[in-house]
Amino acid sequence: MNTPCNAAETHTVFNQPPPLDPYNLFTTDTALREALQQAPVQWAETQLNDYGYLSGHTLFSAGFLANENMPQFHSHDRFGHRMDQVAFHPAYHQLMQTAIEHGLPSSPWQTPQPGAHVARAAMMYLHNQVEAGSCCPLTMTFAAVPAIRHQPDIAAHWLPLITARHYDPANKPWFEKPGVTIGMAMTEKQGGTDVRANTTRARPLGQSGPGQLYALTGHKWFCSAPMSDAFLVLAQTDKGLSCFLLPRWREDGQRNGFYIQRLKDKLGNRSNASSEVEFREAHAWLVGEEGRGVATIIDMVALTRFDCITGSAALMRQAVAQAVHHCSHRQVCGKVLTDHPLIQNVLADLALESEAALAFSLRIAQSLDHPDDEQEQLFCRIATAIGKYWVCKRAPGHINEAQECLGGAGYVEESILPRLYREAPVNSIWEGSGNVQCLDILRAMQRQPDSLEAVFAELEKTAGTDPQLGQYITTLKKDLVNTSNFHYEARRLVEKLAICLQGSLLLQTGNALVADAFLRARLQPEGLAYGTLPTGIPCTQLIERTRPL
């Protein structure tokens, strides 16, 4: 009889980092906690601490499950009845329920108070780190509120449900639920970003005009979260492109003419269903004036763009946290990786980029907390487009560099890094790609020149504190005097605006170590890749700030 022999074992496992999770994503994030000291959010400390704990414990594992078990589309039931349902794994519902019960899509509208948008952005920052797919319907539900407010009679029925902290995924009429979620469908095959080319038609079922019921016939090429209870959509009337609220169930309790054609097989964002849909005489209410659809829905678009910035910043934070944790425990050539100068250069550079992205996001959130301040709204108008272009574009390369820090382990699905990497590009694509953001900035400069002045007013707060930044701002002002070649040079100029703003915001946050390092690294870069910081940057201190445990 053969007996097991310990000598048959070929090796023991050593020089591997311990698991990072579970941990509290809020209490271990020095940059986030410092940044929040600049806003009146002390009242949210307990809530943020609780959500940081939930994110790093139960939601972290739910994020993996939701992505391993993707949504499934069922067009018909077993008896042949059309039902157009998307089935999600229980982990996805857990993520949605937890987020909604903690007010991620509703808190600033439900309880407006100083710092409400900043606190909510911080909550989304935590949630995005563990599962970004569920953030899509959370964002759309949040962002729909200002657009629906354009139509008070519709808002009276819908807003109490949109802002309720109840999640009900059942496939039943919206008026039978304690809370609802909202989606959005604008783009069509032939137009994409050019929504003026939309062909979906809307005809009044009785009287025409704001708040009235119409029947929509057409298609949408991208409709994310198709199990939402209603969607803000664009369709053509006799007066032009108009905005409508289209529910999945009609007002008489029957299924609406809303048909899911298929789910998109996406690179990332896989826990969230995105679909192609068709409308066949689908009932929908006109929101706002006929022919003013873009002007009506743009409030929703602006807020979804803002959440793209926050989402990208969150992905970057989780990526650098994973990289620093790994390198703090892994030994190479007799030393822990974080003791090697070259990896210090890389990690510190990643940390700087992460902190700058967070600062940008929270500053826009501060402007959202001042809806009656014209200067703040002008700043928000153009800063959102700048941040959407720059922060979202920086995320994929940033996360790939973090993967390199783990070597082959960073490319394996047991780590969260492959999911973060797949997730990152979507924020630069959805709600207008990079070129769209640049052209939007040009449009704002031409139609609302005061919006660019608001950005420079923000920069002037710190221009005198750093000579290099002051000179950079002066040169940038001269570059923007003549916009005749802006269509060609836009990306270069917007990049400079973004870096200026990030440096200025880091100075305002008050951590001189971080701000000085960022300005030295970004205003006169010595290399193009991450890990090319100039000599003298306090890498060890920057890495220590980023350490998650």
Side-chain angles (χ1 to χ4, degrees):
M1 178 177 178
N2 293 327
T3 58
C5 179
N6 289 336
E9 294 292 336
T10 61
H11 70 283
T12 57
V13 177
F14 66 100
N15 196 24
Q16 285 286 340
L20 175 54
D21 58 289
Y23 71 107
N24 188 314
L25 272 65
F26 176 67
T27 59
T28 58
D29 193 333
T30 301
L32 176 60
R33 292 174 64 85
E34 281 187 7
L36 291 178
Q37 292 175 8
Q38 309 301 310
V41 296
Q42 293 75 19
W43 53 268
E45 181 86 14
T46 299
Q47 184 180 6
L48 286 163
N49 180 66
D50 291 347
Y51 209 78
Y53 178 87
L54 283 171
S55 298
H57 289 71
T58 57
L59 298 188
F60 206 94
S61 56
F64 277 92
L65 286 172
N67 281 272
E68 291 164 3
N69 300 273
M70 293 182 293
Q72 302 293 320
F73 171 48
H74 302 286
S75 59
H76 296 78
D77 66 17
R78 64 193 182 99
F79 302 107
H81 304 116
R82 183 89 192 209
M83 58 180 189
D84 290 277
Q85 282 190 263
V86 180
F88 294 86
H89 189 269
Y92 178 87
H93 293 305
Q94 178 187 7
L95 288 155
M96 288 292 294
Q97 180 174 344
T98 304
I100 288 174
E101 288 179 351
H102 283 79
L104 270 66
S106 63
S107 55
W109 315 128
Q110 191 181 50
T111 313
Q113 58 185 307
H117 279 282
V118 174
R120 183 254 168 198
M123 298 275 280
M124 287 293 289
Y125 181 76
L126 298 173
H127 191 92
N128 264 286
Q129 290 185 52
V130 297
E131 212 300 289
S134 56
C135 289
C136 179
L138 296 173
T139 284
M140 292 189 294
T141 302
F142 160 73
V145 171
I148 292 176
R149 281 177 173 169
H150 283 282
Q151 197 58 48
D153 51 345
I154 293 175
H157 291 97
W158 281 88
L159 290 190
L161 296 174
I162 292 172
T163 57
R165 296 194 179 195
H166 297 284
Y167 175 60
D168 186 349
N171 185 24
K172 61 184 181 183
W174 59 273
F175 47 79
E176 295 180 6
K177 293 188 173 188
V180 299
T181 57
I182 303 295
M184 176 169 56
M186 293 194 297
T187 59
E188 299 182 3
K189 299 183 189 72
Q190 71 286 346
T193 298
D194 183 12
V195 294
R196 298 288 181 184
N198 284 7
T199 60
T200 297
R201 297 292 305 177
R203 65 176 184 85
L205 290 174
Q207 290 185 330
S208 62
Q212 298 300 317
L213 198 62
Y214 287 66
L216 274 59
T217 299
H219 75 280
K220 296 295 173 184
W221 204 22
F222 277 95
C223 177
S224 280
M227 292 308 293
S228 299
D229 295 287
F231 308 86
L232 281 170
V233 304
L234 295 177
Q236 303 282 1
T237 71
D238 292 341
K239 295 183 180 179
L241 198 63
S242 306
C243 180
F244 295 87
L245 181 66
L246 188 153
R248 294 191 73 250
W249 291 76
R250 293 191 328 201
E251 61 284 358
D252 60 5
Q254 301 297 310
R255 285 187 65 252
N256 206 357
F258 174 91
Y259 296 87
I260 300 174
Q261 301 301 96
R262 62 169 177 159
L263 298 188
K264 298 285 194 179
D265 186 8
K266 298 171 294 182
L267 167 67
N269 204 251
R270 297 178 75 83
S271 70
N272 170 47
S274 296
S275 64
E276 296 176 22
V277 298
E278 187 174 282
F279 307 144
R280 303 176 192 170
E281 289 283 285
H283 289 196
W285 295 280
L286 177 64
V287 179
E289 298 290 333
E290 278 193 52
R292 297 279 297 164
V294 174
T296 301
I297 207 170
I298 198 66
D299 290 335
M300 183 179 188
V301 172
L303 288 177
T304 54
R305 287 176 175 174
F306 163 63
D307 267 16
C308 286
I309 303 171
T310 304
S312 290
L315 298 176
M316 293 159 75
R317 161 59 190 169
Q318 182 58 219
V320 72
Q322 294 286 335
V324 168
H325 176 74
H326 176 90
C327 293
S328 297
H329 294 87
R330 182 81 163 178
Q331 290 195 8
V332 173
C333 299
K335 292 196 299 186
V336 175
L337 272 170
T338 48
D339 290 337
H340 290 266
L342 191 53
I343 196 68
Q344 287 178 353
N345 196 323
V346 172
L347 292 174
D349 210 354
L350 294 176
L352 284 176
E353 195 70 26
S354 173
E355 291 209 31
L358 173 63
F360 209 128
S361 173
L362 293 184
R363 177 60 183 91
I364 297 174
Q366 287 181 36
S367 67
L368 294 174
D369 276 321
H370 297 88
D372 299 323
D373 187 321
E374 183 181 4
Q375 187 78 355
E376 284 294 307
Q377 293 313 297
L378 286 168
F379 172 81
C380 185
R381 165 71 179 86
I382 196 167
T384 299
I386 295 170
K388 172 69 166 65
Y389 170 79
W390 183 242
V391 175
C392 297
K393 195 165 290 297
R394 293 289 279 176
H398 180 279
I399 296 166
N400 176 240
E401 193 70 57
Q403 286 181 293
E404 279 196 38
C405 294
L406 275 69
Y411 199 68
V412 176
E413 293 292 342
E414 290 170 321
S415 162
I416 195 175
L417 283 163
R419 172 151 50 97
L420 299 180
Y421 185 62
R422 288 195 305 272
E423 200 70 48
V426 75
N427 286 323
S428 68
I429 295 171
W430 279 357
E431 311 309 333
S433 60
N435 284 355
V436 171
Q437 303 308 313
C438 289
L439 295 176
D440 191 41
I441 291 164
L442 176 61
R443 190 179 303 111
M445 290 166 56
Q446 293 174 335
R447 296 181 182 178
Q448 292 179 293
D450 289 347
S451 62
L452 184 61
E453 290 303 315
V455 169
F456 279 108
E458 183 73 22
L459 294 174
E460 290 299 332
K461 294 178 182 179
T462 55
T465 62
D466 185 277
Q468 189 176 11
L469 177 61
Q471 182 57 50
Y472 200 91
I473 293 170
T474 299
T475 302
L476 182 56
K477 275 186 176 180
K478 293 177 181 177
D479 289 344
L480 289 168
V481 168
N482 182 1
T483 59
S484 60
N485 201 32
F486 190 92
H487 284 84
Y488 185 81
E489 297 182 318
R491 288 190 171 213
R492 179 178 64 84
L493 296 173
V494 172
E495 175 180 324
K496 288 188 172 184
L497 275 169
I499 291 172
C500 268
L501 272 170
Q502 287 181 318
S504 178
L505 294 172
L506 288 173
L507 282 169
Q508 291 179 49
T509 300
N511 191 303
L513 181 144
V514 177
D516 178 67
F518 181 85
L519 291 170
R520 287 184 58 199
R522 298 296 187 263
L523 295 188
Q524 296 293 333
E526 296 188 2
L528 299 179
Y530 285 104
T532 56
L533 294 175
T535 301
I537 295 292
C539 293
T540 303
Q541 294 97 311
L542 292 171
I543 294 167
E544 189 61 35
R545 287 173 55 80
T546 312
R547 193 185 305 277
L549 291 178

